[in-house]
Amino acid sequence: MWPYLDTAICNTAKTIAKPIIAEQIPKYKIQSVEFETLTLGTLPPTFQGMKVYVTDEKELIMEPSFKWAGNPNIIVAVKAFGLRATIQVVDLQVFAAPRITLKPLLSVFPCFANIYVSLMDKPHVDFGLKVLGADVMAIPGLYRFVQELIKDQVANMYLWPKALEVKIMDPKQAMKKPVGILDVKVLRAMKLKKKDLLGKSDPYVKLKLTEEKLSTKKTTVKHSNLNPEWNEEFNFVVKDPSTQALEINVYDWEQLGTHEKMGMNVVPLKDLTPDEPKVLTLELLKNMDPNDPQNEKSRGQLVMEVLYKPFKEDEMPNDIEESNMVQKAPEGTPAGGGLLVIIVHEAEDVEGKYHTNPHARLLFRGEERKTKRVKKSRDPRWEDEFQFMVDEPPTNDKVHVEVFSTSSRIGLLHPKESLGYVTINLADVVSNRRINEKYNLIDSKNGRIQIEMQWRTSS
């Protein structure tokens, strides 16, 4: 993570330094001070220790002992009296004792709404400056002046009880309780526009409820079809029907490269009458800008059935986790048993030694199922669903998923090879009813696979 933190810290440092420099340079008749290069190098900071405090408030307080002695490349250009000098910062070391407070703590990811960073004491900063090969710190008093200036400016901004506040999410929105369920049935699309060079498209629909980061659902892909039928059902947890909306995007699936958007639309939940199913025929648009002339072009229609079902008082869930509902098992499910649904979404960074045409194989209680094969792809997307009817909850069972690459080339010495596997315990699926995670593949360098599993019962 350090390269990304390096970039973020350097950008923040430039933002903080700009007004400070603008305030200070007139005192010394300096025209301008600009960063030519600013990077903290390849060595990340280290933490020598950590204190953690838990209070009666909904917060977590941490006080790490921070030390950084890296290999930065910091070059500053200074203009004064019509002359320009390039100054390099060398041998930079920083010792600090920050207080990091996470609050308020929440029951949803990432489990806190804000980060507050304060300094419990002035930081110790040690460095040298060089100008055109000379040591500018040899000037009497300059070193102490620059060092104290940096300490004082940083301390003035962030010395306790002052703090740098980083907002992560709106706590009011995050702490809202579920108030209902939105049932969505994607029926069909009509007169979709061709996206591929050969006059074909492979459409699928992506659904998302606004103000929810983890609520995206996708239909299966219908290959070579401009009038596809899905008849697939989904449900979403609703927290605020007055402000939330259902976002609908139709994409053209591509084996390689980016999936191209075919059209979109939005259904505000406030326009739905509670407990009344409504069939909608939506015109697919380029975007939601009513003044965009591109929206006048026909992109086809999408037919859906939606139903908003508010909870009754006695049905209100106690927390968000209880609202993560899944569909019931179909009629005829054995009493005490249920339906195990496994959706193999996609894989990342899978690569064979001789060829890469991946498909996934599932093995559960002796039953074997396979996804379709995707040719020449290190990041295959399958979106294949498999169902297993069982007589009892598979609490002590496991499902084995392995990714294989196969080749149809005649005479090839290695027509089939494994790209990695994972074995998943199903106890958590039974207790949580639904899990959607990415798993690292064993015997694979960097490969991962995304699998969604649901446990449906008739009750």
Side-chain angles (χ1 to χ4, degrees):
M1 292 181 61
W2 175 242
Y4 304 101
L5 290 175
D6 177 16
T7 302
I9 293 171
C10 290
N11 289 338
T12 302
K14 289 180 181 180
T15 303
I16 294 173
K18 190 173 181 179
I20 296 174
I21 293 173
E23 180 183 353
Q24 296 294 326
I25 58 177
K27 300 178 183 179
Y28 306 98
K29 298 181 180 181
I30 297 174
Q31 295 171 329
S32 67
V33 177
E34 297 178 354
F35 288 100
E36 278 195 354
T37 306
L38 177 56
T39 174
L40 300 182
T42 59
L43 300 177
T46 59
F47 294 93
Q48 308 299 311
M50 174 83 73
K51 294 180 180 178
V52 179
Y53 302 92
V54 179
T55 69
D56 293 334
E57 304 294 330
K58 291 184 177 181
E59 63 181 5
L60 177 64
I61 300 175
M62 299 175 289
E63 291 185 359
S65 176
F66 171 88
K67 178 182 179 181
W68 180 64
N71 54 347
N73 184 14
I74 305 174
I75 300 177
V76 181
V78 180
K79 290 183 181 180
F81 304 104
L83 301 176
R84 185 177 185 275
T86 301
I87 301 174
Q88 183 178 16
V89 179
V90 295
D91 300 328
L92 177 62
Q93 297 185 35
V94 179
F95 300 85
R99 169 173 287 186
I100 302 171
T101 304
L102 310 179
K103 70 176 184 181
L105 299 180
L106 308 172
S107 60
V108 295
F109 183 84
C111 302
F112 54 88
N114 299 304
I115 303 175
Y116 299 88
V117 182
S118 299
L119 294 171
M120 304 310 293
D121 201 351
K122 288 185 179 181
H124 173 77
V125 182
D126 193 9
F127 57 90
L129 295 180
K130 288 186 177 181
V131 180
L132 298 178
D135 187 0
V136 71
M137 283 309 179
I139 301 174
L142 181 59
Y143 173 77
R144 181 172 295 277
F145 166 76
V146 175
Q147 190 181 52
E148 291 301 319
L149 176 64
I150 292 175
K151 288 183 181 180
D152 290 342
Q153 290 293 343
V154 173
N156 287 339
M157 290 185 292
Y158 303 126
L159 192 63
W160 176 262
K162 296 180 181 179
L164 170 66
E165 180 181 358
V166 181
K167 291 186 177 295
I168 304 300
M169 61 192 306
D170 183 356
K172 293 182 180 179
Q173 182 63 36
M175 297 175 71
K176 283 185 177 179
K177 297 289 186 180
V179 297
I181 295 292
L182 178 67
D183 290 333
V184 180
K185 187 173 184 179
V186 182
L187 299 175
R188 59 188 176 276
M190 302 172 293
K191 300 179 181 179
L192 298 178
K193 297 305 175 184
K194 302 174 183 178
K195 290 294 182 180
D196 297 343
L197 295 177
L198 299 178
K200 297 180 180 180
S201 290
D202 306 311
Y204 69 93
V205 183
K206 184 181 288 189
L207 307 168
K208 184 181 186 301
L209 203 59
T210 57
E211 303 175 11
E212 292 291 338
K213 294 183 177 180
L214 304 176
S215 62
T216 301
K217 308 288 179 69
K218 291 181 286 187
T219 68
T220 56
V221 178
K222 299 298 182 181
H223 294 281
S224 303
N225 197 332
L226 298 178
N227 296 281
E229 291 195 16
W230 286 284
N231 294 312
E232 298 179 18
E233 297 184 31
F234 307 91
N235 52 56
F236 298 85
V237 176
V238 178
K239 296 180 182 177
D240 190 348
S242 64
T243 61
Q244 289 184 286
L246 179 67
E247 294 182 357
I248 305 108
N249 288 278
V250 181
Y251 288 91
D252 177 28
W253 178 86
E254 294 291 343
Q255 182 172 311
L256 299 174
T258 304
H259 298 185
E260 187 174 0
K261 183 182 288 188
M262 304 179 73
M264 69 168 299
N265 212 316
V266 171
V267 179
L269 300 193
K270 64 182 180 181
D271 295 344
L272 302 179
T273 303
D275 294 318
E276 289 188 12
K278 188 174 185 179
V279 177
L280 304 173
T281 300
L282 303 174
E283 293 290 335
L284 295 177
L285 307 173
K286 174 72 174 179
N287 52 54
M288 297 311 297
D289 183 358
N291 299 319
D292 192 336
Q294 294 189 72
N295 284 328
E296 297 178 3
K297 299 179 182 179
S298 176
R299 289 177 167 78
Q301 297 84 37
L302 181 68
V303 183
M304 309 171 59
E305 182 178 337
V306 294
L307 171 62
Y308 170 55
K309 300 183 294 186
F311 292 132
K312 299 177 182 178
E313 286 297 326
D314 57 348
E315 297 175 337
M316 294 291 287
N318 293 325
D319 54 42
I320 293 173
E321 295 300 325
E322 292 183 14
S323 66
N324 194 15
M325 302 171 66
V326 297
Q327 303 169 31
K328 291 184 177 181
E331 294 183 7
T333 302
L339 186 71
L340 176 65
V341 180
I342 301 177
I343 305 171
V344 184
H345 289 295
E346 59 187 353
E348 301 173 354
D349 295 326
V350 293
E351 186 171 9
K353 185 176 181 180
Y354 304 98
H355 43 76
T356 305
N357 307 307
H359 74 272
R361 186 191 71 165
L362 282 71
L363 189 62
F364 171 71
R365 289 189 175 182
E367 291 188 58
E368 182 183 83
R369 308 285 177 85
K370 295 180 181 179
T371 68
K372 55 182 172 287
R373 187 178 68 145
V374 179
K375 295 183 180 179
K376 298 180 180 180
S377 176
R378 296 177 67 249
D379 302 300
R381 182 186 294 272
W382 295 292
E383 303 295 348
D384 285 344
E385 178 178 317
F386 306 95
Q387 299 183 355
F388 301 90
M389 189 77 72
V390 293
D391 295 331
E392 58 184 13
T395 306
N396 300 317
D397 287 284
K398 300 178 181 179
V399 60
H400 181 83
V401 183
E402 189 162 3
V403 180
F404 288 95
S405 175
T406 57
S407 176
S408 56
R409 290 174 56 188
I410 300 176
L412 193 66
L413 293 177
H414 303 276
K416 180 179 180 180
E417 57 180 306
S418 174
L419 307 184
Y421 70 92
V422 62
T423 301
I424 306 168
N425 293 314
L426 298 178
D428 288 342
V429 181
V430 175
S431 60
N432 295 324
R433 302 294 294 268
R434 177 180 177 271
I435 288 180
N436 188 1
E437 293 185 4
K438 287 186 177 181
Y439 300 89
N440 293 322
L441 290 170
I442 300 172
D443 289 345
S444 174
K445 186 175 181 181
N446 296 308
R448 298 198 302 168
I449 188 169
Q450 182 179 356
I451 301 174
E452 178 180 348
M453 293 173 286
Q454 299 178 9
W455 171 242
R456 303 177 186 174
T457 61
S458 57
S459 58

